[in-house]
Amino acid sequence: MNIKQLYQQYFLNASVLNKLIILNVFFFILQKVSAGYLKVFFALPLDMFVFLKQPWSIISYGFLHGGFRHILYNMLWLYVFGQFFLNIHNGRRFLNLYFLGVIFGALVNLFAFNLFDIPFYSINSVLVGASAGVYAIMVAATVQSPNMPIRFLFIPVTFKLWWITVGVVALNLLDWNSNFGGKVAHLAGALAGYLYMIQLKKGNDIGEFIGNTFDWILNLFKPKEKTKLKTVYKSKNNSKSVVKSTSNSPSQEQIDSILDKISKSGYDSLSKKEKELLFKAGKQ
């Protein structure tokens, strides 16, 4: 099986969550093979003047990691909490939130490093890791379904989702002398996830600009399609066109109401019909 076949079978057919994990692993391997050369151009420099020379690093730093344990823990939590998030929301919203966390983690570090004299930063600090995006997904999934039960292999205890999230965030607050920039990114990502869900309940996807930006970039590389002319036939009995809606998609008000119910009583409190509506919304 050649590389093209592997790409088509295992990447193109993968879910949006698995694609993101595959990309992180791919760039981690590439980072190791390049002996750190990749880090020079794609890690996030916290010095503002250096950052302005490589602004793409506000996204690219999220695909680099400091070591095997770093990427292992990030991908583990991303896989666990990403599935909970995607049970209700679609892939586009998942990516909007993930990259919102990555960007927010970068911006908070840039402002903290350049505006405040914080001794925990080193002079040539750079930031790497997907942690900000992972924490955004983690907190959003927890706000969405705080009492969702979860069990791990070989551990005979059922945890609630919010127990794990609070524990992980609390551990992040320990030992600020170690990896200060990373800890700031973690908390910034967590805050982004919380704000995202609060605004989503009001009908606002504050990460939609990210999806729109990616769409614009992708459209630059798409070949222009020729416009096809359509023949429109008018009814003999009525010259006005009649359009019938065949969509059974749930409205945004229904989804917001169900999400509000989940945040108050948990996912298990939903009726069968409400779960079906969420499933339909997630497939759109």
Side-chain angles (χ1 to χ4, degrees), residues 166-196:
V166 169
V168 172
V169 174
L171 286 174
N172 184 79
L173 297 175
L174 300 176
D175 189 16
W176 283 95
N177 289 321
S178 173
N179 188 25
F180 180 77
K183 293 181 184 298
V184 170
H186 298 171
L187 296 179
L191 178 60
Y194 176 76
L195 294 175
Y196 183 90

Side-chain angles (χ1 to χ4, degrees), residues 27-46 50 54 56-58 60-67 70 122 124-129 179:
F27 281 106
F28 176 71
I29 295 172
L30 199 61
Q31 177 185 347
K32 291 301 179 182
V33 171
S34 69
Y37 187 74
L38 206 67
K39 188 176 178 180
V40 175
F41 295 99
F42 296 101
L44 179 77
L46 296 187
V50 181
Q54 48 189 78
W56 58 84
S57 61
I58 199 170
S60 63
Y61 88 93
F63 290 98
L64 305 180
H65 287 84
H70 191 194
S122 62
N124 298 314
S125 289
V126 295
L127 192 65
V128 295
N179 188 25

Side-chain angles (χ1 to χ4, degrees), residues 17-268:
L17 173 59
N18 289 339
K19 283 179 180 176
L20 191 56
I21 292 174
I22 290 171
L23 284 174
N24 272 281
V25 172
F26 172 77
F27 281 106
F28 176 71
I29 295 172
L30 199 61
Q31 177 185 347
K32 291 301 179 182
V33 171
S34 69
Y37 187 74
L38 206 67
K39 188 176 178 180
V40 175
F41 295 99
F42 296 101
L44 179 77
L46 296 187
D47 185 292
M48 187 63 72
F49 294 103
V50 181
F51 165 70
L52 291 175
K53 296 177 182 178
Q54 48 189 78
W56 58 84
S57 61
I58 199 170
I59 292 289
S60 63
Y61 88 93
F63 290 98
L64 305 180
H65 287 84
F68 179 74
R69 286 196 305 171
H70 191 194
I71 189 173
L72 176 64
Y73 291 142
N74 272 343
M75 295 304 101
L76 174 64
W77 291 129
L78 180 61
Y79 182 75
V80 172
F81 286 87
Q83 290 186 90
F84 286 121
F85 186 83
L86 287 167
N87 280 339
I88 295 178
H89 303 284
N90 58 29
R92 182 182 179 88
R93 190 166 285 174
F94 170 81
L95 291 177
N96 287 348
L97 171 59
Y98 177 83
F99 285 109
L100 180 69
V102 170
I103 292 171
F104 196 58
L107 291 176
V108 171
N109 265 293
L110 281 168
F111 283 113
F113 181 86
N114 290 279
L115 297 181
F116 304 101
D117 184 17
I118 301 176
F120 299 121
Y121 283 116
S122 62
I123 297 176
N124 298 314
S125 289
V126 295
L127 192 65
V128 295
S131 302
V134 173
Y135 271 66
I137 296 292
M138 183 184 296
V139 170
T142 304
V143 172
Q144 167 187 289
S145 310
N147 296 315
M148 178 73 75
I150 180 173
R151 297 192 67 174
F152 295 100
L153 290 174
F154 311 115
I155 302 178
V157 178
T158 300
F159 297 88
K160 291 184 178 179
L161 209 59
W162 73 266
W163 296 357
I164 299 171
T165 302
V166 169
V168 172
V169 174
L171 286 174
N172 184 79
L173 297 175
L174 300 176
D175 189 16
W176 283 95
N177 289 321
S178 173
N179 188 25
F180 180 77
K183 293 181 184 298
V184 170
H186 298 171
L187 296 179
L191 178 60
Y194 176 76
L195 294 175
Y196 183 90
M197 292 306 294
I198 294 301
Q199 287 299 311
L200 195 60
K201 289 180 180 180
K202 299 177 182 179
N204 304 318
D205 185 342
I206 59 175
E208 184 60 23
F209 74 94
I210 297 173
N212 291 337
T213 302
F214 286 159
D215 286 343
W216 178 77
I217 294 172
L218 291 174
N219 286 333
L220 292 177
F221 299 95
K222 285 184 179 180
K224 294 183 179 180
E225 297 181 358
K226 294 181 179 180
T227 304
K228 296 181 180 179
L229 298 177
K230 294 182 179 180
T231 304
V232 179
Y233 298 94
K234 292 184 178 180
S235 171
K236 294 180 180 179
N237 299 325
N238 189 353
S239 60
K240 294 183 178 180
S241 299
V242 178
V243 179
K244 293 183 179 180
S245 174
T246 59
S247 173
N248 293 320
S249 302
S251 66
Q252 186 61 47
E253 291 182 359
Q254 288 176 304
I255 297 301
D256 292 340
S257 176
I258 294 172
L259 290 176
D260 188 54
K261 184 176 180 180
I262 291 175
S263 67
K264 292 179 180 178
S265 308
Y267 180 78
D268 292 336

